[in-house]
Amino acid sequence: MQEFIDSLKRGEFRLPVCTSCEAKVWPPSYYCPVCLSNTSLQIINTHGTLLYFTISYLKGMEGCYGLVEMAGIKLIGSFDTSELEDGLQVKMVMCGVKPEGTPYYIFEPIRG
C-alpha cells in the first residue's frame, strides 16, 4: 500500500480504516478483510501497551524490541531504553522507512 509507505516516509503513522464498517486494517490494505469495502488512511492514537519485549545482542541488530498493541493492532517496535516491563504504557515517538525499504517504529514509555 504505497500511501501507507509514503506517510511513513514523512514520519506519520496512518492506519487504513474501512470506510464502511470502520474496522482498522493491519497489515495495511486497500480493502477491508471484514466487509471488502475500501479503506482510507487515518491518523490514530499511537499510545499503546507493551505486551512483550526482548533484548537483541545480534551484531547489527542490537537493541530492545517489543510487541505493542495500540488502536486494536499489534506491531513490533524498538525502544531506546531497556527499562521495560510487560504491560507498560508506551507511545510511538518516531516512524519511518530505512534506506533499504524496511519500515520502523520507535516507542518510549509514558512516564507519570
Side-chain angles (χ1 to χ4, degrees):
M1 178 168 213
Q2 191 59 46
E3 293 173 277
F4 175 77
I5 297 298
D6 290 343
S7 70
L8 283 181
K9 286 179 179 178
R10 293 188 305 270
E12 302 170 353
F13 187 83
R14 295 176 184 261
L15 188 67
V17 177
C18 179
T19 58
S20 182
C21 73
E22 299 183 4
K24 292 175 179 73
V25 179
W26 189 257
S29 173
Y30 290 111
Y31 303 100
C32 175
V34 176
C35 71
L36 304 178
S37 295
N38 291 326
T39 62
S40 68
L41 288 181
Q42 297 183 14
I43 295 173
I44 63 161
N45 183 344
T46 57
H47 290 200
T49 303
L50 178 61
L51 301 177
Y52 306 103
F53 73 95
T54 189
I55 299 173
S56 171
Y57 299 99
L58 293 172
K59 187 173 181 174
M61 298 186 71
E62 298 90 345
C64 296
Y65 300 91
L67 180 64
V68 175
E69 182 171 20
M70 62 179 205
I73 67 165
K74 294 177 182 142
L75 68 155
I76 296 172
S78 61
F79 293 82
D80 289 336
T81 180
S82 60
E83 296 178 20
L84 302 172
E85 60 186 50
D86 296 346
L88 186 66
Q89 295 301 298
V90 298
K91 64 182 175 183
M92 184 184 294
V93 293
M94 187 183 300
C95 63
V97 179
K98 294 179 182 177
E100 71 275 3
T102 306
Y104 66 87
Y105 314 101
I106 300 175
F107 290 87
E108 70 179 23
I110 296 173
R111 303 285 184 206

